Amino acid sequence: DSGVTQTPKHLITATGQRVTLRCSPRSGDLSVYWYQQSLDQGLQFLIHYYNGEERAKGNILERFSAQQFPDLHSELNLSSLELGDSALYFCASSVASGTISGNTIYFGEGSWLTVV
Amino acid sequence: DQQVKQNSPSLSVQEGRISILNCDYTNSMFDYFLWYKKYPAEGPTFLISISSIKDKNEDGRFTVFLNKSAKHLSLHIVPSQPGDSAVYFCAASALLTGNKLVFGAGTILRVKS
């Protein structure tokens, strides 16, 4: 158990719909990262928040948005869903920002999103 | 544009032997490299890392080698154990681009007993 909690674990929804994925970081971690893993793809970085502020953006679609709340939990909002959005979405957290030595990034178990 | 490539989708090794997982990268700005292990239904877990100022880092049965001139790194597991069977992801980051982790596609390692 990494200490990073993601909900829901599985979600099936229709095209055009909107979903929210939730992440609670490890206690004491200020950074939250979101990654997408599609079939045949490695983990694709989406976005990084540190203590409530956006720090870095990756290949995140305009239909997707995220935020980190004062209690440090984060939500990833996916709207106007398409079939190609079906993927495993991972949240990760770390104490500090980025991949500096000693700043281990811990991953949650992921949220499986299936768009039908 | 795949900046981090793991060209072997899978690898099968006999228990007790050495497992060597390879990773190539194209971005010369990368200065920190990591390996993650992932079991089914679990998130990736950090295994070992190496800074670009080093060419080797060892942690128990796991050793990571970095060849900057070839833009290549490898993970050696010796001796391999059945519990090492998992998907291994290579990842890289660059300080100048905000330390975002860029992952490879992963290599499935199967250790046969």
Side-chain angles (χ1 to χ4, degrees), chain B residues 6 8 15 18 48 59-60 88 100 108-109:
Chain B
Q6 293 178 255
S8 298
E15 181 181 5
I18 184 171
I48 192 169
D59 183 2
Y88 288 79
K100 295 178 294 185
I108 300 171
L109 173 65

Side-chain angles (χ1 to χ4, degrees), chain B residues 11-79:
Chain B
L11 175 68
S12 189
V13 171
Q14 198 66 35
E15 181 181 5
R17 299 292 189 115
I18 184 171
S19 295
I20 301 176
L21 297 115
N22 293 304
C23 177
D24 297 294
Y25 61 95
T26 58
N27 189 343
S28 56
M29 301 294 286
F30 286 144
D31 51 21
Y32 197 65
F33 304 89
L34 308 90
W35 284 93
Y36 280 81
K37 180 169 73 172
K38 184 183 178 305
Y39 292 117
E42 293 184 14
T45 55
F46 170 75
L47 197 54
I48 192 169
S49 64
I50 188 167
S51 163
S52 60
I53 62 173
K54 292 186 167 185
D55 54 19
K56 177 183 173 181
N57 189 25
E58 194 171 349
D59 183 2
R61 297 185 297 113
F62 303 92
T63 304
V64 56
F65 295 92
L66 176 62
N67 183 334
K68 281 180 291 185
S69 60
K71 294 193 178 67
H72 175 84
L73 67 154
S74 60
L75 174 68
H76 292 211
I77 306 173
V78 57

Side-chain angles (χ1 to χ4, degrees), chain A residues 6-68:
Chain A
Q6 289 188 248
T7 57
K9 286 194 171 10
H10 300 274
L11 187 58
I12 301 174
T13 189
T15 55
Q17 295 298 304
R18 181 180 189 276
V19 299
T20 297
L21 308 180
R22 195 178 191 279
C23 171
S24 294
R26 293 170 71 240
S27 177
D29 284 0
L30 299 178
S31 271
V32 170
Y33 312 80
W34 286 97
Y35 287 84
Q36 179 193 55
Q37 184 176 14
S38 306
L39 285 175
D40 302 326
Q41 297 246 353
L43 289 153
Q44 303 287 321
F45 169 73
L46 295 178
I47 199 161
H48 167 214
Y49 280 86
Y50 178 78
N51 203 20
E53 291 186 5
E54 182 184 305
R55 278 296 176 94
K57 248 183 180 177
N59 301 320
I60 186 166
L61 299 172
E62 283 190 17
R63 300 183 286 108
F64 296 0
S65 65
Q67 52 182 332
Q68 186 180 27

Side-chain angles (χ1 to χ4, degrees), chain A residues 35 37 42-43 45 99 101 107-108, chain B residues 32 43-44 93 99-101 103-104:
Chain A
Y35 287 84
Q37 184 176 14
L43 289 153
F45 169 73
T99 54
S101 179
F107 283 79
Chain B
Y32 197 65
S93 69
N99 287 319
K100 295 178 294 185
L101 275 177
F103 282 86

